[in-house]
Amino acid sequence: MRSSHYLVTASVLAVATALSAGQAAAQAGGAGAPTVVEEIVVTGSFIAGTPEDAALPVNVIGNDELQKQGSPSTVDLMKSIPAMQGVVGESNQFGAGQTTGTSSANLRGLGAERTLVLFNGRRMATSPGSIYVDTNLIPSAAIGRVEVLKDGAAATYGSDAIGGVVNFITRRNFDGLELQAGYSAIDGSDGEYNTSVAYGHTGDRSSMLLTAGYRHRSPLSTTERDFAIRSYAENPQGGWSSFGNPGLFLSSTNGGVTYTNPVTDPACNVISGPQTGGTLCQFQYIGFNNLIEEEDQWQLYGEFNFDIDDTTTFHVEALYAGHDVSNEASSPSYPPNNFPSSALTTKIQGNGFFVPAANPGLQALLGTNPGQIPASAATAGLFTSVAWRPIGVAGNDLFEGLGKEDKRRFDAYRISASLKGEFEFGGGIGWDASMTYMDDTSEVATPDILVGRLQQALKGLGGFNCSGTTPGANGCLWFNPFSSGIDANAVDGRTNPNYVASTANSREVLDYLFEEYAYSIRSQLYTADLVFNGRLPIDFGGGEIGWAAGAQYRWSGLERQNNDFTNVAVSPCPDSSINPAATCAAQNGPFSFFGALSDYDLDQSVVSAFGELSIPITNDITATLAVRHEDYGGNVGSTTNPKAALRWQAADWLAFRASAGTTFRAPPMTQITTSSTTALAYTTAAGGYRAYDTFGNPNLAPEEAVTLNLGALFDFGDFRASVDYWAFDFEGPIDNESGSDIVNAIFPNGAAGANNCANPAFASLLSRITFTGACGATAINRVRIDYVNGPDVKTSGIDVSASYRARDVLGGDMNFGVDLTYVLEYAVDANVIEGVEVAPATDYVGTMDYLGYGSQPQWRGSFYTEYTRDIHNIRATIRYIDNMVDTRAGSATFSNGPDGQKIDAFVTTDVAYRVFLPWQTTVSASVINVFDQDPSFARLDLSYDPFTANPLGRYYKLNVTKRF
């Protein structure tokens, strides 16, 4: 950390120590009886004693409630809350970035980056490589309750709290030792298991809590679920790519000067296929992937509380957590986006790899498929087309004949300490001084092929031990890119009758081709907080005014370091793996698929001040006012956000609440630098994944929103309910431009039909795309997109929550509950890029906007019925996710039929039983998805929407907890 952080820390500690010493001196002087320090009860206010049913819409989910639900994982808990939309954490390899293993909270479907996640009321660092907090780091064994504030809260907590706040709060007053173990039996995998231990001790002046937890997820292959692997006719977007192996090549008719005539590998329809458009060979990579990756998660947590005197408490907590995805399954190889120089191919033609006639694989292909390959190939060789990849249906022999194995590793450390007390002058003023530091690191490694090495191996000059210039001699190895070296389809077993074993690629040459596209990202967060609260001697008839005021210093750092092959400063060019001194105009790096990255070391400091008043106007009416000012400095500047809330107890059984305010989110550091990052996205017009280079924008402004909540609370004893209307009006939401909108605007009819390649009005938009030749949908190579303040967004809806208890039913109690969210609108203004309207104004309610605004079902809800008698509790829960319409429906994407235009509602039923046995033992058994419902079909890679549904089907959970 910088020296300024230590100065701030010392200042906060000095103030806290002075307050503590002053209070101790006052007590020594006998100035009155000590006052018990009140705990801040509910998320959304800094005023001590704020009740749960205050003016703000807060849901509190206690540990007992979690057990009744069958002790869901953090991912399952987030997905079960109807106000959450589009939660990352299930099958999230496609369309979610490098986030496998992480989990998010996404209130109102506004994006996980707009939901602030707190741990014991303090901020957590964002997950490296993303802009949201990874909730999988939360130590589940330590959690006593989860509080969900479904309202904008920038006036209280600052940036990122636009959609609301999720606050995980640890257990209090826990004594003894608790051991827990659980297992989920999932068909087609080895299941999931978890275990934890918790120890707590409460003494006269101190308490402590120590926990350790571990969770293992076993892989679930796509081949284990019938819905996941669909034919091309059923789902052309279901993991099908026109960039395959067997693939498409180009032959020459002019002695090898240029290569233009398409040649489809003859084995296409035999072991891959189907063949479309006359020449394109479709390859389905999804059979090499998993629905659930193998994953290990662990958490170690400890906290200690000590009463220094009767009014002052010291608190310290420490967390270490991490997770590891050591073999994420992916395609056997990626299609090239990057190509060698003409100097390396020895041909003037670019955007491809040259295969000389002497390549043994080509000679075998000519011999076993007479007449199907142009005769010129025997002397002039072939050039690879962009509709090709080096390894495909045969699988990758470096990884046991399956898909490549990517690696993800996350490690996080967090420590927080505070002094909290109250002194008597001024009517009893409470104070809370705290410091929190978190360090979160990720390690990412993805095998990819090096351009230069691939070209050398195609010419017979591959291998680490190659010496000399004679192809295939002196340790030099050949690489065979043709079906002649493929014995069978590794997924479905179809065999190749023209397989020539002597031309199969060796592990030695594969090992030479592949290196790791690898980098590490470190995310740090340091905060220092000082909060005062108390009562003013002003009474309008309902009691004294409560107040809180304070300041916060926040520093965040983000650092990325790349290995040499990934680092653009070390390996800038396609030929860099062969010639380290190579120079090039377009510095895309040496890998065939992934683009080069630059190292960075960024940091940002924020200073804020805030205040809050709770004004009991009468015994029945309470108003709350809050305001926060944050200063970011630099181009971001500062912002001030007020909020007002009102609660009126109209009758014993009826209360009304309302809140309105402004909220904001500052641009993340990586989005206001000029550097770029490369991500992959499926490009429908191109028929496969393409590289999207996203550039930062130093001129980004903070996004702002006006929030409104109007609600009513009902309490008839055993019946309680709440109804809330909520609305968010965004101005300039920060997002990257939509690459798919750019492509679709230029190619409105996909790969076929009229396009805007020659339209002068689209010239600036066309400059965003790099083609591998003439302008054409299938020739798309890379797309440039920028971070911008995008189109304004308005969203609103209604939340309904109700519960009823029927007492003394067959000697027990029956409980009924419902929790619903209904979205009224999710309206987005027209999107204009480079002067072209690439998307009209649209209301996305009830849609799935692939790679855009995500999944926005109109209805989400759950209904439960529960019976409790003596030591027994059983609960049945029905969960409902409304149907959606794919926004691509009606376009060329769906030209082959209507299936998948509508994504049907997903309805599941869970049953959980809990029994308290002797010896302080609790056993719970659950059946999740009792009726074994498959997720609804969607035209995505996995043939379902992983952000709203799950692929597990019916599974069984057993959980045992023993206390000592």
Side-chain angles (χ1 to χ4, degrees), residues 832-919:
V832 178
I833 302 176
E834 302 287 357
V836 177
E837 183 179 297
V838 298
T842 304
D843 190 341
Y844 288 94
V845 168
T847 70
M848 182 196 71
D849 185 43
Y850 178 58
L851 297 181
Y853 289 93
S855 304
Q856 302 289 343
Q858 187 156 45
W859 280 100
R860 283 179 65 104
S862 63
F863 170 81
Y864 73 85
T865 180
E866 175 184 297
Y867 180 71
T868 302
R869 179 176 177 179
D870 299 326
I871 62 174
H872 304 280
N873 175 272
I874 187 168
R875 173 183 287 197
T877 304
I878 298 174
R879 306 189 191 280
Y880 176 83
I881 298 174
D882 203 9
N883 60 64
M884 297 178 288
V885 174
D886 194 319
T887 56
R888 300 168 296 174
S891 69
T893 299
F894 288 87
S895 59
N896 67 326
D899 289 347
Q901 293 188 22
K902 179 181 178 182
I903 301 159
D904 293 334
F906 186 51
V907 185
T908 58
T909 302
D910 304 337
V911 175
Y913 168 70
R914 183 180 65 171
V915 59
F916 295 99
L917 298 176
W919 310 292

Side-chain angles (χ1 to χ4, degrees), residues 54 80 233 273 295 319 476 544 632 636 658 695 746 756 883 907 945 951:
S80 72
E295 182 181 342
L319 168 68
C476 297
E544 293 182 333
Y632 285 78
V636 177
F695 285 79
I746 296 172
N756 288 299
N883 60 64
V907 185
D945 177 19

